[in-house]
Each structure stands twice: as C-alpha cells, then as structure tokens.
C-alpha cells in the first residue's frame, strides 16, 4: 500500500474532526475541500449519493455541530488498484463526548493529482 494514501485518509479525518468541533475557523472550508477531487462523490450511511458541492454544503452547515467528536480509524487495508488510484477499506468509529461509538465500514478511492492524494469516491455503510 502507498502509505501516503493511508496518511491522507488519517489526515483528512483529523481535519474533519477539527471542523466538526470548530477547532478551526469557518474560513478553513476551502482548505478542507482541497482534499477532494473536482469529481468527488460519496454514498453515506443513509444510502444517498452526494456530489462534491453537496458535501461542501453539508460541511458548511455542520461547522462546530459536534463539539466532542472523536473519530477512530481501524483495520485499514489496501485493495489492489492501478496508479494513479489508491483504494482503501477501513472501519470508522464516531463518538461524541462519552456517547456510544457508532461504527461504519468505508471504502475510499483516492486519486493522485499534481503529486498529492485527493479523495475521488467514498462509500460508507453502517456497521456493528
């Protein structure tokens, strides 16, 4: 596995955690969105596909919405893919404060653009 792609997954989740906790200002949205390809899309645990601009709107409306958010990533595995792609499967847990951790399984596709890994697609499902 290209460890820089794995690093990007961890890095973005750290940035998301800071965003939802409002540890960064709302002016950091463009920096956050720079992690995503122009043609990024995701399918979240609700089963709805969101294009990049819908994800941007979701983030904009949720700045500071989860002050005690803790994100845990486990079981990161690479799936064989040709460059410039990297495909990674992982388990993500989210908890707010002392609340229960809610788990999801994720499959992320990253694409190397201009020497940097960016998110191309994400598919998440609820997990136990």
């Amino acid at each position: 596995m290209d460890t820089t792609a794995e690093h990007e997954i961890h890095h973005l989740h750290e940035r998301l955690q800071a965003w939802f906790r409002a540890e960064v200002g709302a002016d950091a949205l463009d920096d956050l969105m720079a992690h995503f390809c122009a043609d990024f899309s995701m399918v979240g645990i609700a089963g709805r596909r969101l294009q990049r601009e819908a994800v941007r709107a979701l983030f904009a409306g949720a700045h500071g919405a989860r002050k005690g958010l803790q994100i845990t990533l486990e079981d990161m595995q690479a799936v064989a893919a040709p460059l410039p792609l990297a495909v990674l499967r992982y388990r993500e847990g989210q908890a707010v404060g002392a609340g229960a951790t809610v788990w999801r399984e994720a499959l992320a596709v990253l694409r190397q653009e201009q020497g940097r890994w960016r998110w191309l697609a994400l598919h998440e499902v609820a997990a136990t």
Side-chain angles (χ1 to χ4, degrees):
M1 169 180 15
D2 186 325
T3 57
T4 58
E6 183 177 351
H7 174 77
E8 169 57 23
I9 288 183
H10 286 281
H11 181 67
L12 178 61
H13 282 85
E14 289 168 4
R15 304 278 311 257
L16 289 169
Q17 185 171 273
W19 177 262
F20 289 120
R21 291 177 174 182
E23 293 172 352
V24 296
D27 59 345
L29 182 58
D30 287 339
D31 291 336
L32 183 62
M33 293 307 299
H35 290 266
F36 300 94
C37 295
D39 52 345
F40 173 79
S41 69
M42 71 173 281
V43 176
I45 59 173
R48 197 173 47 142
R49 182 179 300 173
L50 301 174
Q51 302 300 329
R52 187 179 191 275
E53 287 309 308
V55 171
R56 180 184 183 86
L58 179 123
F59 289 161
H63 182 252
R66 301 180 76 193
K67 298 273 188 205
L69 178 64
Q70 294 288 330
I71 298 175
T72 304
L73 301 179
E74 297 180 346
D75 301 328
M76 186 87 54
Q77 301 171 346
V79 177
L83 283 175
L85 300 177
V87 179
L88 296 114
R89 179 179 295 144
Y90 61 93
R91 186 170 164 81
E92 177 183 336
Q94 295 185 9
V96 177
T101 301
V102 177
W103 291 96
R104 60 189 68 192
E105 290 287 332
L107 182 70
V109 180
L110 286 75
R111 181 170 59 208
Q112 204 165 39
E113 295 180 345
Q114 301 161 348
R116 175 179 174 183
W117 288 108
R118 297 186 197 283
W119 291 67
L120 176 61
L122 175 65
H123 188 105
E124 300 176 317
V125 296
T128 56

